Every structure is written in C-alpha cells, then in structure tokens.
Amino acid sequence: MTKVQFIKTTGGDELAVVPKRDYERLVALAASEDVGTARIVRRAREALAAGREIVLPKSVVDRLASGENPIRVLRESRDMTQAELVASVGITQGYLSDLEAGKRKGPVALHQKIARALGVPIDLLLPTTVSDEDADPARVTKRRQVIKDMKVARRR
C-alpha cells in the first residue's frame, strides 16, 4: 500500500507527497490516456472529413431520439422547404408529406436520394428496428402454429 503524505503550505495549499515510483506510474498512465484520447479525436476528425460521420445540433438529436420523423427533422434543420427537397429528389410534395407523416415508407433508393439531398448518412432515415413478422414472416407463422398445436395437445 502506498504511503501518501499530506502537507499544507504556508499559503494554505494542501499537497500530497507520493513515492517517486508511484508518481512515475501515474505520469505514464496519464500519458497513455492522452494518447488514446488523441487517437479517438483523430479518427473522429478523419471520419467527419471523409463524410462518414456528421455533426448534428443537440436539438436535432433530441428530436430524432424522441421519435420524430427523421426526414422532417433533418429537412427542417437544413432550413429546406418541402418544395426544395422534392425538387432535388424528384417526387411530389404529397408523397414527401406522406413520408414525413409516416403514412408511407418509400423504397431504399428514394431514401438514398433524400439522404444525399440532406447531406446525411442513409442510416438516419431508415428504420432501425422492424417487427419479428417483418424480419422473418415464415418463422413467426411457424411459431404461431407450434403454439396453437401445443394448446390443442393440452386440451386432449
């Protein structure tokens, strides 16, 4: 166990005196942490410069996290009107309105165009989860049949 000595200077500052080997170990740990942090920052800057990452204001992230429609949120954050966005992606304003209202989903190719027009990765526009049935309808149907068969078997 390291023995730390605490002393108080005439100016009132409190100091901790540690053995030299402990001091050197702490300096090495701090340097190692600084190298790791610098590496994370460098990679983030490279990803931003390459267009693999974007920076969004907290207010936009909060709206996305609360479940608001990402097309609408991102369009509004870019100060684009619906008319400007539909002109750049080649759809009708009614179609965009339906997308933003969640009445329609639209094909991936359309979402790619919208993502390019908004300057964001397509990941922000695509749904992040789907129901089990949408993901694998055959498995869900089979599972339902198995449960039904089990209930019938219990009744016998």
Side-chain angles (χ1 to χ4, degrees):
M1 181 160 194
T2 301
K3 197 86 159 144
V4 178
Q5 179 184 4
F6 296 97
I7 59 174
K8 198 170 204 172
T9 66
T10 55
D13 292 330
E14 290 187 59
L15 305 177
V17 180
V18 296
K20 185 176 180 182
R21 72 175 177 279
D22 292 339
Y23 169 79
E24 289 169 348
R25 184 178 59 80
L26 290 171
V27 168
L29 285 172
S32 173
E33 187 172 305
D34 289 345
V35 168
T37 300
R39 182 176 45 250
I40 291 168
V41 169
R42 186 184 73 251
R43 287 180 182 163
R45 286 183 176 152
E46 289 170 356
L48 283 168
R52 293 188 312 273
E53 296 286 340
I54 61 167
V55 176
L56 296 172
K58 182 182 181 306
S59 60
V60 172
V61 173
D62 289 344
R63 288 179 67 191
L64 293 170
S66 72
E68 286 190 51
N69 182 279
I71 297 172
R72 176 180 290 131
V73 170
L74 294 165
R75 177 183 58 76
E76 290 174 352
S77 77
R78 302 292 196 240
D79 291 325
M80 289 180 88
T81 64
Q82 281 189 339
E84 291 169 329
L85 184 55
V86 299
S88 65
V89 297
I91 59 174
T92 66
Q93 193 163 352
Y95 190 12
L96 177 59
S97 181
D98 285 351
L99 289 170
E100 289 186 353
K103 294 178 184 175
R104 296 175 81 170
K105 293 196 183 241
V108 173
L110 173 60
H111 285 282
Q112 288 171 325
K113 288 180 182 179
I114 294 171
R116 276 193 298 273
L118 295 173
V120 298
I122 192 169
D123 305 25
L124 289 176
L125 303 182
L126 298 177
T128 56
T129 60
V130 295
S131 69
D132 283 349
E133 196 160 17
D134 289 341
D136 190 353
R139 184 178 60 81
V140 172
T141 302
K142 183 177 179 182
R143 183 176 65 203
R144 285 184 183 148
Q145 186 60 48
V146 167
I147 291 169
K148 185 178 174 183
D149 293 344
M150 288 171 55
K151 287 179 181 178
V152 169
R154 282 189 201 161
R155 289 185 199 144
R156 293 181 195 170

